[in-house]
Amino acid sequence: MSTLAVYPGSFDPLTNGHVDIITRGARMFDRIIVAILVNAEKAPMFSMEERVEIAREVFKSEPKVVVDTFNGLLVDYVERKNAQVIVRGLRAVSDFEFEFQMALMNQRLKPQIETVFMMPAEQYTYISSRLIKEVFALGGRVNGLVPELVEQRLREKGLAKK
Ligand code: PNS
């Protein structure tokens, strides 16, 4: 039986931490769906279309990675896709409490779906989309922390230093 995993999130924007987890997930599972939550934030920096396009471009040569969007309960989406696993990244102890709550709630909703936590490479453990946006907005450099395409898109939005 092949194992299909779903890696859900807002991805606003995709960071190199996300890329690292997706790459690890693609080594571990037969297929991994990067599932971008629709309307996670009222005013996202990147539109849903931009986020999908960026993720598809970054993983265009990785056939095991599929990019999709979802609405509503994550476990319902996972079931619709016939996936067995939810992948979440754990960066630090501070992530644990919320992730633990979500994993147990999802387990209660659909006990047959397993949450697997994966650690990104050490150099990405402090990166978050929120921090990337804040640093950009204030004119700081984030090269090496996000894919080049994300940096390019931020420059186009007039938010990144040349
Ligand atoms: O990138 P994020 O914001 O950390 O991702 C959070 C996400 C999308 C995984 C979470 O908010 C989610 O699963 N939302 C879908 C609605 C849902 O199922 N809520 C109950 C979770 S226990």
Side-chain angles (χ1 to χ4, degrees), residues 6-125:
V6 171
Y7 180 48
S10 312
F11 304 104
D12 184 38
L14 185 76
T15 68
N16 281 346
H18 295 131
V19 171
D20 185 81
I21 295 288
I22 297 163
T23 306
R24 287 169 197 278
R27 286 202 294 261
M28 215 173 146
F29 304 106
D30 296 297
R31 206 145 42 94
I32 181 162
I33 303 176
V34 179
I36 306 175
L37 178 65
V38 179
N39 292 337
E41 268 185 75
K42 285 202 181 83
M45 181 176 275
F46 289 89
S47 71
M48 181 53 63
E49 293 72 26
E50 285 174 311
R51 281 179 273 164
V52 168
E53 191 220 317
I54 288 168
R56 287 203 175 130
E57 180 61 27
V58 169
F59 289 100
K60 67 177 178 207
S61 52
E62 177 46 89
K64 288 169 106 182
V65 178
V66 177
V67 179
D68 193 15
T69 60
F70 80 104
N71 235 323
L73 271 185
L74 172 63
V75 286
D76 288 341
Y77 172 79
V78 173
E79 196 173 60
R80 277 201 306 280
K81 290 285 158 186
N82 291 318
Q84 301 87 352
V85 174
I86 295 169
V87 169
R88 290 289 289 172
L90 266 190
R91 293 163 298 189
V93 180
S94 52
D95 281 340
F96 183 76
E97 200 170 332
F98 178 58
E99 294 298 334
F100 184 68
Q101 287 173 352
M102 278 209 302
L104 289 182
M105 180 59 83
N106 286 330
Q107 193 183 78
R108 184 188 168 88
L109 294 168
K110 303 265 183 212
Q112 71 279 15
I113 297 171
E114 216 55 66
T115 297
V116 170
F117 292 110
M118 299 184 76
M119 261 61 73
E122 202 181 342
Q123 68 264 34
Y124 302 129
T125 48

